[in-house]
């Protein structure tokens, strides 16, 4: 697979693998043996960038995802870039399927979390470590300072912020250079394009999570698609309601037509579109299926011209579109 550089020098596959859905938010955790085999196949097919977090798990095993990756990828460790995250916990008192997040960016929390993640991921360092959400009760300078200490200690080599805004990013970067922001980005959620000039200025990469709008942009779902109300976030996402499928019909049709012209799939067009936007954007779609793993990887070979990207952007500015899931609610500490 083609590669890209995040920040100053972090080389990753042009398409990364978001591993959250193997353990969390998309139904019950997947079979460990199957996912272990899938992760090995990902490496065999050119994926070098694997994304997890300490909170991607189940009520019975809150750290399921890191444990999965640690075991599955330990023999490939020297070939891959491992990214994880710290600094949030779920509000377990909430009955919602997508429980609110409680951020904790205190240096002591970060320093305690890294040791747990390293143990579960069976490694002596992480290549990229994110603060998972910004804690507005802790100055970002303190969080950045803790990350700087982890770099100096050799526990991480690069750090980043998930769901960053410009002001926070600038302040954090002044303390310890930020390698990447990991923000939501897709054809249906383009809010963070406003951040691109700052990222270019500061030489910070953009890791796009939910690049397929939680799967909607694969064009494989319809009004009859069912999701478990207890374990699958999609059961409460606005883009998966019956009304939303009606509203998004033109968008999906346009994607399908464009894909046909390029001998590609709608998902590949979605990913190729953001790859064409900037050379430092790296999408991290997730999957539990081998055919999707290959389909997503091959999106790196789909080339869109500047004119084609402009046409897609014009379409996105004008075509009807439903609301799209914007993330779990962030609460203050309890």
């Amino acid at each position: 697979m083609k590669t890209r550089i995040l920040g100053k020098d972090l080389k990753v596959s042009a398409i990364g693998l978001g591993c959250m859905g193997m353990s969390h938010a998309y139904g019950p955790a997947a079979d460990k043996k199957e996912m272990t085999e899938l992760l090995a196949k990902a490496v065999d097919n050119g994926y070098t960038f694997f994304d997890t977090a300490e909170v991607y798990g189940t009520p019975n095993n809150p750290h399921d995802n890191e444990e999965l990756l640690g075991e599955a990828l330990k023999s490939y460790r020297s070939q891959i870039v491992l990214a994880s995250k710290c600094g949030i916990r779920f509000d377990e008192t909430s009955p919602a399927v997508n429980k609110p997040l409680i951020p904790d960016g205190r240096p002591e929390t970060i320093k305690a979390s890294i040791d747990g993640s390293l143990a579960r991921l069976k490694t002596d360092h992480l290549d990229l470590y994110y603060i998972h959400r910004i804690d507005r009760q802790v100055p970002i300078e303190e969080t950045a300072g803790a990350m700087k200490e982890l770099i100096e200690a050799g526990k991480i080599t690069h750090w980043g912020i998930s769901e960053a805004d410009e002001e926070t990013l600038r302040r954090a970067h002044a303390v310890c250079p930020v390698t990447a922001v990991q923000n939501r980005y897709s054809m249906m959620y383009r809010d963070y394009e406003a951040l691109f000039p700052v990222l270019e200025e500061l030489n910070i990469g953009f890791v796009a999570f939910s690049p397929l709008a939680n799967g909607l942009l694969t064009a494989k779902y319809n009004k009859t698609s069912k999701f478990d109300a207890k374990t699958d976030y999609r059961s409460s996402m606005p883009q998966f309601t019956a009304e939303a499928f009606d509203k998004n019909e033109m968008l999906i049709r346009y994607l399908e037509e464009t894909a046909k012209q390029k001998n590609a799939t709608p998902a590949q067009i979605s990913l190729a579109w953001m790859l064409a936007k900037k050379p430092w954007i790296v999408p991290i779609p997730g999957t539990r299926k081998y055919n999707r793993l290959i389909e997503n990887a091959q999106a790196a070979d789909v080339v869109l011209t500047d004119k084609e990207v402009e046409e897609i952007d014009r379409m996105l500015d004008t075509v009807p579109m439903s609301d799209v899931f914007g993330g779990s609610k962030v609460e203050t500490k309890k």
Side-chain angles (χ1 to χ4, degrees):
M1 200 194 300
K2 294 173 183 174
T3 58
R4 296 196 154 196
I5 303 292
L6 295 173
K8 184 181 176 184
D9 61 4
L10 188 59
K11 187 178 180 181
V12 299
S13 49
I15 306 286
L17 184 59
C19 300
M20 178 187 77
M22 296 177 179
S23 305
H24 177 80
Y26 288 84
D31 180 80
K32 279 276 201 310
K33 183 174 181 292
E34 289 179 12
M35 293 304 98
T36 298
E37 292 170 356
L38 186 66
L39 286 161
K41 288 173 181 174
V43 178
D44 290 343
N45 283 280
Y47 284 89
T48 64
F49 188 29
F50 295 84
D51 182 89
T52 183
E54 66 176 348
V55 295
Y56 293 162
T58 66
N60 293 332
N61 186 3
H63 306 301
D64 184 89
N65 205 240
E66 284 189 333
E67 291 175 3
L68 167 66
L69 267 63
E71 194 62 43
L73 295 173
K74 61 184 179 182
S75 60
Y76 305 104
R77 184 64 186 95
S78 62
Q79 305 169 43
I80 65 171
V81 169
L82 263 182
S84 193
K85 310 177 200 73
C86 66
I88 61 168
R89 60 186 172 86
F90 293 106
D91 179 359
E92 295 296 344
T93 65
S94 170
V97 60
N98 54 329
K99 299 184 187 306
L101 309 175
I102 302 171
D104 186 350
R106 293 173 298 168
E108 57 265 37
T109 299
I110 294 167
K111 292 172 185 176
S113 292
I114 186 64
D115 292 332
S117 288
L118 292 177
R120 290 185 290 270
L121 288 163
K122 300 185 184 297
T123 184
D124 62 355
H125 75 282
L126 286 181
D127 304 291
L128 182 56
Y129 198 41
Y130 298 96
I131 187 73
H132 207 152
R133 288 292 184 276
I134 295 161
D135 184 348
R136 300 296 176 186
Q137 296 182 339
V138 176
I140 194 64
E141 289 82 359
E142 292 183 17
T143 300
M147 292 294 191
K148 186 176 182 180
E149 288 183 38
L150 294 186
I151 291 172
E152 290 167 350
K155 293 185 177 183
I156 66 175
T157 58
H158 304 79
W159 85 287
I161 308 176
S162 189
E163 295 286 91
D165 58 76
E166 179 179 347
E167 186 212 359
T168 305
L169 198 52
R170 287 189 183 279
R171 288 167 53 200
H173 192 74
V175 175
C176 183
V178 176
T179 291
V181 298
Q182 185 180 131
N183 287 6
R184 183 180 304 275
Y185 184 46
S186 72
M187 286 184 169
M188 296 183 75
Y189 195 98
R190 299 164 64 199
D191 302 35
Y192 288 114
E193 287 182 354
L195 204 58
F196 288 0
V198 182
L199 299 178
E200 206 129 47
E201 174 195 337
L202 300 179
N203 191 21
I204 297 172
F206 188 101
V207 176
F209 75 86
S210 298
L212 299 174
N214 307 100
L216 185 83
L217 297 174
T218 62
K220 295 295 183 183
Y221 296 97
N222 57 44
K223 288 182 184 180
T224 64
S225 300
K226 302 292 182 188
F227 305 105
D228 186 334
K230 292 182 179 178
T231 59
D232 197 321
Y233 284 21
R234 290 170 295 185
S235 63
S236 63
M237 289 182 184
Q239 70 265 38
F240 288 103
T241 64
E243 297 77 19
F245 280 106
D246 289 335
K247 197 163 189 179
N248 294 324
E249 188 177 349
M250 284 179 65
L251 169 65
I252 298 301
R253 193 184 312 138
Y254 183 96
L255 261 181
E256 289 174 331
E257 289 170 359
T258 304
K260 193 173 181 181
Q261 292 166 13
K262 301 293 288 187
N263 193 28
T265 66
Q268 288 172 339
I269 295 300
S270 294
L271 297 172
W273 164 79
M274 65 176 65
L275 288 173
K277 284 273 190 175
K278 299 289 181 182
W280 34 261
I281 293 177
V282 177
I284 51 167
T287 188
R288 298 181 176 191
K289 299 176 180 176
Y290 178 70
N291 64 325
R292 286 264 177 257
L293 188 82
I294 300 305
E295 178 185 351
N296 292 340
Q298 290 174 347
D301 297 320
V302 177
V303 178
L304 296 175
T305 66
D306 290 345
K307 185 179 178 183
E308 287 170 330
V309 172
E310 287 172 10
E311 287 174 359
I312 291 172
D313 283 347
R314 273 197 297 274
M315 177 275 294
L316 296 175
D317 287 337
T318 56
V319 74
M321 206 177 290
S322 75
D323 289 338
V324 65
F325 183 61
S328 300
K329 180 183 175 186
V330 177
E331 298 180 342
T332 54
K333 290 190 189 75
K334 289 189 175 181

